[in-house]
């Protein structure tokens, strides 16, 4: 009887301790430090409570205290430190130097689709809760630190294009505009889903850890085609090439992959884009679709897209 009493008491203490541990609030997201790289470019290190680690974010911003909106711009499948591919491969820093906007560039997110994963993935760094980070934790910190107005648009290329569309459909009140470059804006079509799975596996992740196996409803819940009605009222800019190499492709720093594997990726994105245009048309949602006569999955085209889409996004931010 004494042994049983001791055991019951021990269990009670353990249950109490567990209850106290789970009752304690998770530390909120916070900025750990800011490194001023230049007067108009800062590296911001944010502790994410959702991911329980520090995430680096680069912000292009004007000098001074004037209020300004934000443009969240996402990277492709192979994003990674020490900076994003946007600053590595385009003129984005110079292009936005005279514009009154905070351009927010997450560093990392390789293969993550910037979404909340169902399970940690050892191959991609453990706990992946990018949607929570980008839509809940980061915006108030950016606005408080860099004089934000609370008005946002979002965009991305390739994986980041699909991710931007997913976030825009799942958080329509957060964004006034969406720009996608060379993205497959679809998660449920067989070819699109297969491409997503292959891309995650290619960088060392397990795609089942993201939204589960193919039959999991989470794939449908993250599908911009299915949930496109949520985009009503947003400014939408979508661009894609045909997969046929043009002269610009020869200037891509990632040659020869830009005109070999990149041609296949762009062709798939082109097919998805046509389907997305038809879907928006059936819903009566206005959008700008730009089909380049040529163009592979490569950086010279995305730099051009960045320039061409900005006036529409700037107008949406000004409204």
């Amino acid at each position: 009887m004494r042994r049983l009493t001791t055991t019951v008491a021990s269990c009670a203490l353990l249950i109490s301790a567990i209850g106290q541990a789970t009752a304690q609030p998770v530390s909120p997201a916070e900025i750990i430090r800011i490194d001023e790289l230049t007067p108009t470019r800062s590296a911001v290190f944010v502790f994410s409570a959702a991911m329980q680690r520090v995430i680096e974010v680069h912000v292009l911003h004007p000098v001074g205290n004037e209020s300004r909106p934000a443009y969240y711009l996402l990277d492709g499948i192979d994003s990674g430190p020490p900076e994003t591919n946007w600053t590595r491969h385009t003129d984005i820093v110079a292009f936005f130097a005279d514009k009154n906007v905070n351009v927010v560039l997450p560093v990392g997110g390789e293969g993550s689709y910037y979404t909340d994963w169902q399970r940690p993935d050892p191959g991609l760094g453990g706990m992946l809760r990018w949607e929570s980070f980008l839509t809940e934790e980061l915006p108030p910190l950016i606005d408080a630190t860099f004089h934000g107005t609370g008005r946002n648009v979002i965009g991305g290329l390739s994986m980041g294009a699909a991710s931007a569309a997913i976030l825009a459909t799942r958080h329509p009140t957060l964004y006034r505009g969406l720009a996608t470059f060379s993205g497959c804006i679809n998660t449920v079509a067989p070819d699109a889903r297969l491409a997503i799975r292959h891309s995650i596996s290619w960088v060392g992740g397990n795609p089942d850890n993201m939204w589960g196996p193919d039959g999991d409803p989470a794939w449908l819940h993250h599908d911009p085609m299915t949930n496109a009605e949520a985009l009503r009222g947003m400014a939408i800019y979508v661009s894609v090439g045909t997969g046929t190499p043009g002269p610009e492709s020869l200037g891509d720093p990632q040659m020869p992959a830009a005109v070999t594997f990149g041609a296949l990726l762009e062709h798939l994105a082109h097919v998805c884009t046509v389907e997305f245009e038809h879907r928006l048309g059936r819903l009566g949602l206005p959008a700008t679709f730009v089909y380049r006569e040529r163009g592979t999955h490569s950086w010279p085209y995305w730099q051009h897209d960045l320039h061409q889409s900005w006036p529409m996004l700037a107008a949406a931010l000004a409204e």
Side-chain angles (χ1 to χ4, degrees):
M1 179 65 71
R2 182 178 180 182
R3 181 178 300 173
L4 178 60
T5 303
T6 303
T7 303
V8 171
S10 299
C11 289
L13 287 172
L14 178 59
I15 293 171
S16 175
I18 292 173
Q20 290 175 6
T22 52
Q24 293 176 356
V26 177
S27 299
E30 60 178 332
I31 293 176
I32 303 301
R33 79 172 196 271
I34 299 176
D35 294 346
E36 185 181 284
L37 305 179
T38 72
T40 58
R41 180 179 176 184
S42 297
V44 184
F45 296 84
V46 181
F47 171 75
S48 166
M51 288 193 272
Q52 287 295 296
R53 58 190 169 98
V54 174
I55 305 296
E56 184 176 357
V57 178
H58 286 197
V59 181
L60 311 180
H61 52 84
V63 175
N65 298 329
E66 185 177 354
S67 298
R68 77 283 301 234
Y71 183 8
Y72 288 78
L73 193 54
L74 306 181
D75 216 333
I77 193 75
D78 59 347
S79 57
E83 60 183 314
T84 76
N85 284 321
W86 281 109
T87 53
R88 186 182 288 120
H89 297 311
T90 76
D91 67 351
I92 188 171
V93 175
F95 179 70
F96 281 102
D98 62 347
K99 296 172 178 58
N100 191 47
V101 63
N102 294 322
V103 182
V104 184
L105 304 163
V107 177
E110 181 183 36
S112 69
Y113 280 82
Y114 296 103
T115 190
D116 285 356
W117 285 45
Q118 293 181 351
R119 291 175 294 277
D121 192 280
L124 297 180
M127 180 67 72
L128 303 173
R129 307 285 295 178
W130 282 96
E131 179 177 344
S132 294
F133 176 69
L134 291 171
T135 64
E136 299 173 14
E137 297 181 328
L138 188 59
L141 296 175
I142 292 296
D143 288 345
T145 306
F146 295 96
H147 312 288
T149 61
R151 298 194 300 270
N152 309 295
V153 294
I154 189 168
L157 69 105
S158 192
M159 178 194 82
S163 304
I166 291 168
L167 293 176
T169 55
R170 289 172 62 82
H171 302 272
T173 61
L174 186 59
Y175 306 109
R176 296 177 174 224
L178 166 67
T180 73
F181 314 138
S182 300
C184 187
I185 315 303
N186 193 320
T187 68
V188 295
D191 287 348
R193 185 174 295 183
L194 184 62
I196 292 172
R197 288 187 164 280
H198 278 314
S199 65
I200 293 171
S201 298
W202 181 61
V203 294
N206 180 350
D208 281 348
N209 288 333
M210 186 169 73
W211 299 323
D214 284 349
D216 195 303
W219 287 84
L220 189 65
H221 295 161
H222 291 83
D223 181 38
M225 291 278 283
T226 302
N227 305 301
E229 176 61 36
L231 300 175
R232 189 173 298 279
M234 286 189 206
I236 303 171
Y237 186 103
V238 183
S239 65
V240 72
T242 60
T244 303
E248 296 88 351
S249 303
L250 301 178
D252 192 286
Q254 297 180 330
M255 282 285 290
V259 296
T260 53
F261 184 53
L264 178 62
L265 288 176
E266 197 70 11
H267 175 72
L268 174 62
H270 187 276
V271 172
C272 292
T273 299
V274 171
E275 294 172 348
F276 189 55
E277 182 177 21
H278 290 165
R279 170 66 170 155
L280 295 190
R282 289 192 296 271
L283 292 173
L285 298 183
T288 297
F289 282 82
V290 177
Y291 294 95
R292 305 186 226 99
E293 292 183 5
R294 295 180 179 271
T296 55
H297 216 66
S298 54
W299 282 101
Y301 299 104
W302 297 327
Q303 175 171 290
H304 180 75
D305 292 336
L306 181 72
H307 292 201
Q308 295 300 306
S309 60
W310 174 242
M312 173 182 282
L313 296 177
L317 289 170
E319 292 177 354

